[in-house]
């Protein structure tokens, strides 16, 4: 595995001792390979949307392989077991004997059979000696499932703890947890800009934000309120409005983490908005939202 390359190579010298400069070289090479694999994944249409945590785990699970010139690395129709990243060399990809493409360093291949549980869709042959990195199906799918499930449970637990969502049925919460994306903002970042179009809804998972509005007479920004963990904003986007009525600015030295839902996935997965609308209204009644905010909601 790539995360143990440094250690295994560090212990592989004849006297079991590695000079500091050699150690640096080995570490640099491992780092370079990691970066190369990460870029290859981000360059692959089918894998570029994996989150960075998943990519990091995949990179750490990769092991090195060498394939000699003219060897068949992947045979069309086979059950595949490895996803490859090319470090050095050149391969040709053919299907039914027809050349599809050539691939060189920094490319992922063999991902389709593993991602989509199908047989190999093409044959990949080494045109030169190839140095490759590979991850096996079990390891790859384990990462995909574990991180996916962990994330889902974490989001679901968080949603359950958010006052606003307390009354929603478990099934709806689970669907929301499915479509959530995580986003991080640095202190001072504008998460939402007044007047801009937007179709995303945010729940604060960590940190604080300022809600500000431009005074129409003085054009000065006024702070209307502070929101914190468990609070939400941008909800009007889910109800169909897309012009933002206030600024939301990250106001936390450690930055702000948000869970984000866009209107499209929300509508697609949670066809009725009534649940949420109901909760918002009830929530405001019960919580007695501060008057500034209530005014803002009525007058915008
Ligand atoms: P997989 O089907 O697992 O094994 C063969 C691989 O060839 C496949 O994954 C892709 O990585 C690659 N491949 C298939 N079709 C094409 C194509 N049209 N262009 C480039 N690469 C392809």
């Amino acid at each position: 595995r790539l995360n143990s390359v440094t250690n295994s190579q560090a212990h592989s010298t004849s006297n079991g001792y590695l000079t500091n400069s050699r150690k640096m070289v080995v570490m640099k090479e491992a780092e370079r390979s990691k970066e190369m694999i990460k870029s290859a994944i981000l360059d692959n249409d089918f894998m570029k949307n994996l989150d960075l945590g998943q990519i990091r785990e995949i990179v750490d699970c990769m092991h090195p392989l060498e394939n000699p010139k003219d060897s068949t690395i992947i045979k069309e129709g086979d059950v595949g077991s490895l996803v490859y990243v090319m470090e050095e060399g050149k391969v040709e990809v053919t299907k039914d004997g027809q050349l599809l493409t050539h691939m060189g360093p920094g490319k992922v291949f063999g991902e389709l059979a593993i991602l989509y549980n199908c047989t190999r869709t093409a044959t990949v042959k080494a045109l030169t000696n190839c140095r490759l990195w590979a991850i096996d199906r079990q390891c790859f799918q384990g990462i995909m499932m574990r991180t996916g499930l962990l994330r889902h449970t974490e989001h679901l637990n968080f949603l359950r703890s958010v006052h606003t969502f307390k009354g929603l049925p478990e099934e709806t919460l689970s669907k929301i947890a499915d479509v959530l994306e995580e986003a991080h903002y640095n202190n001072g970042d504008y998460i939402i800009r007044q007047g801009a179009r937007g179709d995303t809804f945010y729940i604060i998972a960590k940190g604080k934000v300022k809600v500000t509005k431009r005074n129409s007479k003085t054009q000065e920004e006024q702070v209307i309120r502070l929101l914190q963990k468990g609070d939400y904003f941008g909800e009007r986007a889910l109800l169909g409005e897309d012009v933002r009525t206030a600024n939301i600015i990250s106001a936390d030295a450690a930055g702000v983490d948000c869970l984000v839902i866009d209107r499209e996935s929300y509508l697609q997965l949670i066809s009725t908005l009534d649940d949420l609308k109901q909760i918002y209204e009830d929530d405001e009644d019960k919580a007695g939202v501060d008057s500034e905010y209530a005014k803002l909601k009525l007058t915008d």
Side-chain angles (χ1 to χ4, degrees):
R1 286 161 65 125
L2 191 46
N3 67 348
S4 56
V5 160
T6 330
N7 283 339
S8 63
Q9 292 189 1
H11 296 296
S12 67
T13 50
S14 53
N15 59 6
Y17 177 76
L18 207 63
T19 60
N20 276 344
S21 62
R22 175 70 191 130
K23 206 166 176 177
M24 287 291 285
V25 171
V26 169
M27 281 167 69
K28 271 198 183 140
E29 277 171 10
E31 274 315 307
R32 211 177 306 132
S33 297
K34 280 188 181 190
E35 273 309 306
M36 186 280 299
I37 296 170
K38 188 175 153 196
S39 316
I41 292 173
L42 290 171
D43 179 56
N44 180 278
D45 284 344
F46 300 94
M47 294 175 75
K48 64 181 172 204
N49 290 325
L50 300 181
D51 68 47
L52 288 177
Q54 288 173 313
I55 295 179
R56 204 175 311 122
E57 278 203 63
I58 292 171
V59 171
D60 283 344
C61 277
M62 289 254 167
H63 57 270
L65 279 182
E66 301 212 349
N67 267 77
K69 182 173 185 297
D70 295 329
S71 60
T72 300
I73 305 171
I74 288 179
K75 192 156 159 271
E76 189 179 342
D78 276 1
V79 175
S81 61
L82 296 173
V83 180
Y84 300 87
V85 176
M86 168 90 79
E87 177 140 43
E88 211 178 282
K90 192 173 177 188
V91 294
E92 67 169 20
V93 184
T94 56
K95 192 178 175 67
D96 301 326
Q98 303 278 338
L99 179 67
L100 291 177
T101 187
H102 288 131
M103 281 195 269
K107 287 287 171 199
V108 171
F109 61 91
E111 75 288 24
L112 299 181
I114 313 301
L115 280 172
Y116 301 108
N117 255 327
C118 57
T119 53
R120 294 298 195 188
T121 60
T123 294
V124 180
K125 201 176 136 190
L127 295 178
T128 64
N129 289 340
C130 290
R131 287 210 299 129
L132 304 163
W133 290 93
I135 177 169
D136 66 62
R137 173 190 289 266
Q138 223 181 349
C139 193
F140 183 82
Q141 287 180 343
I143 292 168
M144 302 299 287
M145 210 161 66
R146 194 168 57 252
T147 48
L149 279 178
L150 265 180
R151 207 159 3 117
H152 185 267
T153 311
E154 212 178 88
H155 289 165
L156 192 56
N157 284 339
F158 177 69
L159 292 177
R160 284 194 194 114
S161 77
V162 175
H163 176 70
T164 313
F165 289 101
K166 280 232 169 87
L168 289 179
E170 192 69 12
E171 201 191 323
T172 311
L173 286 183
S174 181
K175 282 180 179 166
I176 297 176
D178 274 340
V179 297
L180 285 177
E181 300 276 345
E182 291 167 26
H184 178 82
Y185 301 92
N186 293 326
N187 197 12
D189 282 355
Y190 275 67
I191 305 173
I192 283 183
R193 274 187 196 275
Q194 184 177 352
R197 294 194 171 272
D199 61 0
T200 37
F201 166 73
Y202 302 77
I203 307 159
I204 304 172
K206 200 187 108 221
K208 291 189 173 65
V209 302
K210 274 191 305 197
V211 184
T212 71
K213 270 199 94 170
R214 219 173 15 248
N215 182 307
S216 52
K217 288 189 194 115
T218 64
Q219 289 301 308
E220 264 177 46
E221 264 186 45
Q222 290 175 332
V223 178
I224 291 168
R225 69 188 321 224
L226 285 175
L227 300 175
Q228 58 185 349
K229 180 174 171 176
D231 289 334
Y232 60 87
F233 53 89
E235 71 280 9
R236 290 161 167 231
L238 295 188
L239 305 173
E241 289 179 39
D242 59 0
V243 175
R244 302 301 195 179
T245 52
N247 298 296
I248 306 282
I249 307 162
S250 168
D252 200 300
V256 171
D257 288 336
C258 289
L259 302 178
V260 188
I261 311 171
D262 68 63
R263 180 160 57 214
E264 205 177 312
S265 35
Y266 191 87
L267 292 176
Q268 208 176 350
L269 282 136
I270 309 150
S271 50
T272 166
L273 288 170
D274 287 350
D275 279 347
L276 196 60
K277 222 165 161 181
Q278 187 91 43
I279 296 295
Y280 285 160
E281 280 155 13
D282 290 347
D283 194 37
E284 283 180 17
D285 287 348
K286 274 193 235 113
V289 174
D290 74 59
S291 55
E292 279 291 354
Y293 190 57
K295 238 190 295 170
L296 167 77
K297 298 199 107 188
L298 288 173
T299 53
D300 282 338

